[in-house]
Structure formats: C-alpha cells, structure tokens
Amino acid sequence: MLIDTYGRVATDLRVSLTDRCNLRCTYCMPEEGLQWLAKPDLLTDDEIVRLIRIAVTQLGITEVRFTGGEPLLRPGLVGIVEQVAQLEPRPQMSLTTNGIGLKRTAAALKQAGLDRVNVSLDTLRPDVFKTLTRRDRHKDVIAGLEAASEAGLTPVKVNSVLMPGLNDDEAPDLLAWAVEHDYELRFIEQMPLDAQHGWKRDGMITAGDILASLRTRFALTAEGSDERGSAPAERWLVDGGPQRVGVIASVTRPFCSACDRTRLTADGQVRTCLFASEETDLRAALRSDSGDEEIARIWKLAMWGKKAGSGLDDPKFLQPERPMSAIGG
C-alpha cells in the first residue's frame, strides 16, 4: 500500500511514457521545443511494464493513466497496454492525449485493453487552435475524438484550458458541442507548469469565471461530494443531466486532501505530486538488478514523505524545474 503520513492512499498511477510532444502549446513549452531526454535515460517498455506490475500486484494500484508528453508518440504503446491488461488484478487503464494520431490507433488501443481516453482540446476554432498550439492540426484532433468514440474508448473526456484573450469566451460553445457529441467536458485552470515560467496568477481564468460563463447558457446542478470521491474534477449536471461538465480548479480550489495519485516520469522517477520539487529514482534500482520487493520498498518510502499540499496557495510558490511534458500531466 502506498500510504503517506496524512493517511492518504495512492491507488491511481500516472505513467509518463515520453517527454516529447508534437504540439507546442503556449502554456506548456516554448515554440522551439525543449531539451528532450536522451534515449538511454528513458525507461524501456519492459521496465515500464515491470514497474506497473509491482505497483498493481504489491502496492495496491487499481488505475493506470498513460500520459506524456504525448503518449501516442511512444512506439511500444499498444504492446505496453496489452501487457498491463493481462495483470491480475487487472487495473483500469486510460490515456491522456492531444488526439493527433488517435484516429490511426484508437481501435488497436481498445483491442489491446485500453478502457478510455482523455483528449486535450482548448478551442473549436481552427485559427485559435493554431495560435495556442503553434500547429495546424485541429481537424486531426476532431477526427481522433470521433475515432475514440467509435472504438468504444468511453466515456470520452475532453480537457480544455481557457487562456485570457484567446479562448476565454468559448466555454459555453465548448460545452454545447461536447453535449451534442456525448463527450464529457472538463475545464482545467491553467497551472504553473510551462517551461518558460510565464504563468501569472493574476489574470488567469478561474473556476469561478468558467462557471459564471457556463451559467449564461446552461443550468448547472452540483454533484455531491460522495459522487466526486477523490476525483480532481468538481462536476455539475448540465440542464438536469445526464450530461455532466467538470472543472479542475487546482489553483483556486485545491483538492490535495483527497489526492490518491502517484506519478512515474518517463525516466523512471517517482513524483508524489505534479508540483513536487523532489523525485525518487526507481530507474537506478531497476538497472542494478534490485528485486521487486526492494523497488516496492523505495516506492513506499517516497510516498510516505508526500507533502500535505501542492503549495499553489502560497504566494511565494516556485514552479517545478521540469515542465509538464517531462512530468506527465
């Protein structure tokens, strides 16, 4: 069991498969990209599967989310999913992706055992998409969403970040579109994870701003805390349901007290929090022929030291040195 000193138990593992991405979103990385991890530093497919096996069979993990960077860029992704699906007990598996390439891979991922996907899409306007991502790939994301739905990777969730002066007027349109296509929309407050450290608390679009905008067109009924559990998103029924919309308010409404996540970076480091400044190396243990029990012990010790909160509510908060693409969102 991965328990910390505050009594929280981690059952949700986020696995970053690569630090690379084929978009250049303004809130994530600079236009020229980043200094990517060297291939020898990345975990191999077998190392990833071994760590997930240890997490599931010895540490109580019941959910695995594959992230990046962009996880569809990982050549061995389908094979990794297929092997994890064979574990006993079998964990629930999901994937967070920008959707580019999903049209090509959705059916194979479903057949391999993937349960569902989260697709990032911040705008319905191709020109705004190009400004936000610095790439002209809006139609590919839309096609990827359609393919995911057709393949049965449901519920298909759509993650949207609103940026001042770019897409901050789109919340109602995005929700109307998501309801029409039976996608579950989740708005995410912009978080301080950009490589260029350009995030500013002042001026960010808050959960309150988002909800006020949505209520100009929709009636929203809050779900109870029992429905939410440890999920990061607060959810509302849209016009009485059954469709729902969620808001992940990491900055203005932190949910750290209910956090059930542990994170594994693409180079084999355990992170207790997305905003943690410390990491614990599992790759070295893997490559020094340590046994599963020893790796589990190191992992348990890392999670035991998890802090009470992310620190985002501290005005003196310092951003992590590694950007989101290297950590796994």
Side-chain angles (χ1 to χ4, degrees), residues 54 73 87 104 130 147 155-156 190 196 199 228 246 250 258 272:
I54 292 170
L73 295 180
L87 294 176
R104 184 180 67 254
K130 186 174 181 180
V156 176
Q190 184 195 2
Q196 58 269 43
W199 179 84
R228 181 180 184 184
S250 302
T272 60

PDB file of all heavy atoms in Angstrom, residues 54 73 87 104 130 147 155-156 190 196 199 228 246 250 258 272:
ATOM      1  N   ILE A  54       4.590  -4.183 -10.421  1.00  0.00           N
ATOM      2  CA  ILE A  54       4.890  -4.046  -8.989  1.00  0.00           C
ATOM      3  C   ILE A  54       3.840  -3.175  -8.312  1.00  0.00           C
ATOM      4  O   ILE A  54       3.343  -3.494  -7.222  1.00  0.00           O
ATOM      5  CB  ILE A  54       6.298  -3.449  -8.795  1.00  0.00           C
ATOM      6  CG1 ILE A  54       7.372  -4.457  -9.259  1.00  0.00           C
ATOM      7  CG2 ILE A  54       6.533  -3.052  -7.333  1.00  0.00           C
ATOM      8  CD1 ILE A  54       8.774  -3.866  -9.335  1.00  0.00           C
ATOM      9  N   LEU A  73       3.154   9.062 -29.167  1.00  0.00           N
ATOM     10  CA  LEU A  73       4.462   9.058 -29.827  1.00  0.00           C
ATOM     11  C   LEU A  73       5.336   7.896 -29.362  1.00  0.00           C
ATOM     12  O   LEU A  73       6.405   7.667 -29.933  1.00  0.00           O
ATOM     13  CB  LEU A  73       5.192  10.388 -29.563  1.00  0.00           C
ATOM     14  CG  LEU A  73       4.554  11.646 -30.152  1.00  0.00           C
ATOM     15  CD1 LEU A  73       5.388  12.870 -29.805  1.00  0.00           C
ATOM     16  CD2 LEU A  73       4.391  11.522 -31.663  1.00  0.00           C
ATOM     17  N   LEU A  87      -2.437  -8.235 -16.413  1.00  0.00           N
ATOM     18  CA  LEU A  87      -2.095  -8.329 -14.992  1.00  0.00           C
ATOM     19  C   LEU A  87      -3.306  -8.778 -14.185  1.00  0.00           C
ATOM     20  O   LEU A  87      -4.446  -8.521 -14.533  1.00  0.00           O
ATOM     21  CB  LEU A  87      -1.601  -6.973 -14.470  1.00  0.00           C
ATOM     22  CG  LEU A  87      -0.282  -6.445 -15.037  1.00  0.00           C
ATOM     23  CD1 LEU A  87       0.006  -5.057 -14.485  1.00  0.00           C
ATOM     24  CD2 LEU A  87       0.868  -7.399 -14.712  1.00  0.00           C
ATOM     25  N   ARG A 104      -5.740   6.874 -36.014  1.00  0.00           N
ATOM     26  CA  ARG A 104      -5.000   5.722 -36.512  1.00  0.00           C
ATOM     27  C   ARG A 104      -4.878   4.602 -35.470  1.00  0.00           C
ATOM     28  O   ARG A 104      -4.766   3.425 -35.821  1.00  0.00           O
ATOM     29  CB  ARG A 104      -3.598   6.175 -36.937  1.00  0.00           C
ATOM     30  CG  ARG A 104      -2.722   5.104 -37.564  1.00  0.00           C
ATOM     31  CD  ARG A 104      -1.362   5.662 -37.936  1.00  0.00           C
ATOM     32  NE  ARG A 104      -0.575   6.030 -36.761  1.00  0.00           N
ATOM     33  CZ  ARG A 104      -0.337   7.273 -36.351  1.00  0.00           C
ATOM     34  NH1 ARG A 104      -0.838   8.293 -37.034  1.00  0.00           N
ATOM     35  NH2 ARG A 104       0.388   7.509 -35.286  1.00  0.00           N
ATOM     36  N   LYS A 130      -4.442  26.941 -33.796  1.00  0.00           N
ATOM     37  CA  LYS A 130      -3.105  27.142 -34.355  1.00  0.00           C
ATOM     38  C   LYS A 130      -2.307  28.143 -33.525  1.00  0.00           C
ATOM     39  O   LYS A 130      -1.098  27.967 -33.311  1.00  0.00           O
ATOM     40  CB  LYS A 130      -3.223  27.626 -35.804  1.00  0.00           C
ATOM     41  CG  LYS A 130      -1.880  27.717 -36.533  1.00  0.00           C
ATOM     42  CD  LYS A 130      -2.090  28.069 -37.999  1.00  0.00           C
ATOM     43  CE  LYS A 130      -0.754  28.125 -38.737  1.00  0.00           C
ATOM     44  NZ  LYS A 130      -0.944  28.459 -40.175  1.00  0.00           N
ATOM     45  N   ALA A 147     -12.881   8.906 -33.645  1.00  0.00           N
ATOM     46  CA  ALA A 147     -12.388   7.527 -33.703  1.00  0.00           C
ATOM     47  C   ALA A 147     -12.423   6.881 -32.324  1.00  0.00           C
ATOM     48  O   ALA A 147     -12.741   5.691 -32.189  1.00  0.00           O
ATOM     49  CB  ALA A 147     -10.961   7.506 -34.263  1.00  0.00           C
ATOM     50  N   PRO A 155     -16.160   6.589 -21.194  1.00  0.00           N
ATOM     51  CA  PRO A 155     -16.562   7.897 -21.721  1.00  0.00           C
ATOM     52  C   PRO A 155     -15.365   8.666 -22.262  1.00  0.00           C
ATOM     53  O   PRO A 155     -14.294   8.672 -21.645  1.00  0.00           O
ATOM     54  CB  PRO A 155     -17.154   8.598 -20.498  1.00  0.00           C
ATOM     55  CG  PRO A 155     -16.457   7.963 -19.326  1.00  0.00           C
ATOM     56  CD  PRO A 155     -16.253   6.529 -19.714  1.00  0.00           C
ATOM     57  N   VAL A 156     -15.545   9.300 -23.412  1.00  0.00           N
ATOM     58  CA  VAL A 156     -14.507  10.161 -23.973  1.00  0.00           C
ATOM     59  C   VAL A 156     -14.560  11.494 -23.237  1.00  0.00           C
ATOM     60  O   VAL A 156     -15.581  12.175 -23.245  1.00  0.00           O
ATOM     61  CB  VAL A 156     -14.717  10.383 -25.485  1.00  0.00           C
ATOM     62  CG1 VAL A 156     -13.693  11.366 -26.021  1.00  0.00           C
ATOM     63  CG2 VAL A 156     -14.631   9.052 -26.231  1.00  0.00           C
ATOM     64  N   GLN A 190      -5.485  26.956 -15.721  1.00  0.00           N
ATOM     65  CA  GLN A 190      -4.095  26.959 -16.169  1.00  0.00           C
ATOM     66  C   GLN A 190      -3.170  26.839 -14.967  1.00  0.00           C
ATOM     67  O   GLN A 190      -3.289  27.582 -13.998  1.00  0.00           O
ATOM     68  CB  GLN A 190      -3.772  28.232 -16.942  1.00  0.00           C
ATOM     69  CG  GLN A 190      -2.359  28.208 -17.514  1.00  0.00           C
ATOM     70  CD  GLN A 190      -1.875  29.569 -17.965  1.00  0.00           C
ATOM     71  OE1 GLN A 190      -2.589  30.570 -17.815  1.00  0.00           O
ATOM     72  NE2 GLN A 190      -0.661  29.641 -18.478  1.00  0.00           N
ATOM     73  N   GLN A 196       8.800  27.986 -19.820  1.00  0.00           N
ATOM     74  CA  GLN A 196       9.339  29.347 -19.837  1.00  0.00           C
ATOM     75  C   GLN A 196       8.933  30.162 -18.617  1.00  0.00           C
ATOM     76  O   GLN A 196       9.277  31.332 -18.504  1.00  0.00           O
ATOM     77  CB  GLN A 196       8.921  30.064 -21.131  1.00  0.00           C
ATOM     78  CG  GLN A 196       7.419  30.154 -21.348  1.00  0.00           C
ATOM     79  CD  GLN A 196       6.863  28.976 -22.133  1.00  0.00           C
ATOM     80  OE1 GLN A 196       7.231  27.837 -21.889  1.00  0.00           O
ATOM     81  NE2 GLN A 196       5.964  29.238 -23.071  1.00  0.00           N
ATOM     82  N   TRP A 199       3.714  31.723 -16.404  1.00  0.00           N
ATOM     83  CA  TRP A 199       2.418  31.690 -15.716  1.00  0.00           C
ATOM     84  C   TRP A 199       2.291  32.836 -14.735  1.00  0.00           C
ATOM     85  O   TRP A 199       3.237  33.166 -14.008  1.00  0.00           O
ATOM     86  CB  TRP A 199       2.267  30.363 -14.990  1.00  0.00           C
ATOM     87  CG  TRP A 199       0.990  30.204 -14.209  1.00  0.00           C
ATOM     88  CD1 TRP A 199      -0.216  29.808 -14.686  1.00  0.00           C
ATOM     89  CD2 TRP A 199       0.817  30.391 -12.796  1.00  0.00           C
ATOM     90  NE1 TRP A 199      -1.140  29.742 -13.668  1.00  0.00           N
ATOM     91  CE2 TRP A 199      -0.532  30.093 -12.497  1.00  0.00           C
ATOM     92  CE3 TRP A 199       1.669  30.786 -11.761  1.00  0.00           C
ATOM     93  CZ2 TRP A 199      -1.052  30.177 -11.209  1.00  0.00           C
ATOM     94  CZ3 TRP A 199       1.148  30.870 -10.476  1.00  0.00           C
ATOM     95  CH2 TRP A 199      -0.191  30.566 -10.213  1.00  0.00           C
ATOM     96  N   ARG A 228     -18.117  12.723  -6.142  1.00  0.00           N
ATOM     97  CA  ARG A 228     -16.783  13.140  -6.573  1.00  0.00           C
ATOM     98  C   ARG A 228     -15.705  12.186  -6.081  1.00  0.00           C
ATOM     99  O   ARG A 228     -14.779  11.844  -6.820  1.00  0.00           O
ATOM    100  CB  ARG A 228     -16.487  14.558  -6.074  1.00  0.00           C
ATOM    101  CG  ARG A 228     -15.118  15.068  -6.511  1.00  0.00           C
ATOM    102  CD  ARG A 228     -14.851  16.466  -6.014  1.00  0.00           C
ATOM    103  NE  ARG A 228     -13.578  16.983  -6.504  1.00  0.00           N
ATOM    104  CZ  ARG A 228     -13.079  18.157  -6.158  1.00  0.00           C
ATOM    105  NH1 ARG A 228     -13.751  18.943  -5.335  1.00  0.00           N
ATOM    106  NH2 ARG A 228     -11.911  18.549  -6.650  1.00  0.00           N
ATOM    107  N   GLY A 246     -17.191  19.168 -15.890  1.00  0.00           N
ATOM    108  CA  GLY A 246     -16.313  19.214 -14.728  1.00  0.00           C
ATOM    109  C   GLY A 246     -15.379  20.403 -14.782  1.00  0.00           C
ATOM    110  O   GLY A 246     -15.097  20.952 -15.857  1.00  0.00           O
ATOM    111  N   SER A 250      -7.228  23.396  -9.744  1.00  0.00           N
ATOM    112  CA  SER A 250      -6.017  23.089  -8.983  1.00  0.00           C
ATOM    113  C   SER A 250      -5.464  24.306  -8.249  1.00  0.00           C
ATOM    114  O   SER A 250      -4.835  24.171  -7.198  1.00  0.00           O
ATOM    115  CB  SER A 250      -4.938  22.539  -9.920  1.00  0.00           C
ATOM    116  OG  SER A 250      -5.377  21.391 -10.584  1.00  0.00           O
ATOM    117  N   ALA A 258      -7.631  14.947  -0.694  1.00  0.00           N
ATOM    118  CA  ALA A 258      -8.221  13.704  -1.199  1.00  0.00           C
ATOM    119  C   ALA A 258      -7.377  13.061  -2.294  1.00  0.00           C
ATOM    120  O   ALA A 258      -7.830  12.114  -2.941  1.00  0.00           O
ATOM    121  CB  ALA A 258      -9.628  13.968  -1.730  1.00  0.00           C
ATOM    122  N   THR A 272       5.618  12.490  -6.039  1.00  0.00           N
ATOM    123  CA  THR A 272       4.455  12.381  -5.162  1.00  0.00           C
ATOM    124  C   THR A 272       3.365  13.379  -5.528  1.00  0.00           C
ATOM    125  O   THR A 272       2.215  13.224  -5.119  1.00  0.00           O
ATOM    126  CB  THR A 272       4.864  12.615  -3.703  1.00  0.00           C
ATOM    127  OG1 THR A 272       5.426  13.932  -3.578  1.00  0.00           O
ATOM    128  CG2 THR A 272       5.896  11.579  -3.264  1.00  0.00           C
TER     129      THR A 272
END
